[in-house]
Amino acid sequence: MRLTKFTDAGLRAVMYLAVADEGASPATREVAEAMGISYSHMAKVISRLQHLDVVEARRGRSGGLGLTPLGRHASVGWLVRALEGVGEIVSCEGDAPCPLRAACRLRRALRDAQEAFHASLDPLTVAELVASPTGPVLVGLTGSRPG
């Protein structure tokens, strides 16, 4: 299974924000640059994360981004499902519908595999994603000091 670039950016942004100093709320541009993602794409990702109540954004001089309590302790499986959206792995309909669609077992097998993939991520939290050795690398990207 392959995640979309949107989901990959969302996971990286959440991980970055998980290690940022409380008082040093980074801006979207800073997160985008640190993660090697275009600002416009990261802005869309951050907007979606705000909608999911994973990230909060504060405007003004002391503004910036931060994780909400939900964001810090969210299940990675839940987050991937929320960012990827609901959909089939294969398209059986469309301009050229698959001739096997009425009796196909592949679509169900792929759906089950997709759910098994998500289920394997369910026990993992964002906080666990940033544990060593990942956390220190992220701290280096944020300029934060380990607490």
Side-chain angles (χ1 to χ4, degrees), residues 12 24 46 55 61 72 92 94 100 103 108-109 120 129 140-141 143 147:
R12 288 199 260 163
I46 294 296
V55 169
R61 202 169 110 177
R72 191 162 303 282
C92 300
L100 302 175
R108 177 64 185 186
S120 72
L129 281 182
L141 294 173

Side-chain angles (χ1 to χ4, degrees), residues 31-133:
V31 177
E33 288 172 4
M35 294 292 102
I37 298 168
S38 77
Y39 170 77
S40 61
H41 188 65
M42 185 58 76
K44 292 174 189 172
V45 169
I46 294 296
S47 176
R48 178 74 175 126
L49 291 170
Q50 283 180 270
H51 179 72
L52 293 170
D53 195 33
V54 171
V55 169
E56 61 184 355
R58 294 171 301 284
R59 294 188 176 268
R61 202 169 110 177
S62 61
L65 302 172
L67 284 184
T68 65
L70 170 64
R72 191 162 303 282
H73 301 289
S75 157
V76 175
W78 171 82
L79 191 53
V80 167
R81 283 182 191 93
L83 293 171
E84 285 287 306
V86 177
E88 296 286 337
I89 292 180
V90 294
S91 176
C92 300
E93 305 300 329
D95 293 339
C98 176
L100 302 175
R101 71 185 179 278
C104 183
R105 296 176 65 172
L106 177 62
R107 181 171 44 179
R108 177 64 185 186
L110 291 173
R111 189 180 307 125
D112 290 348
Q114 180 182 34
E115 183 48 38
F117 172 78
H118 290 133
S120 72
L121 296 173
D122 284 339
L124 186 63
T125 66
V126 171
E128 291 170 320
L129 281 182
V130 297
S132 187

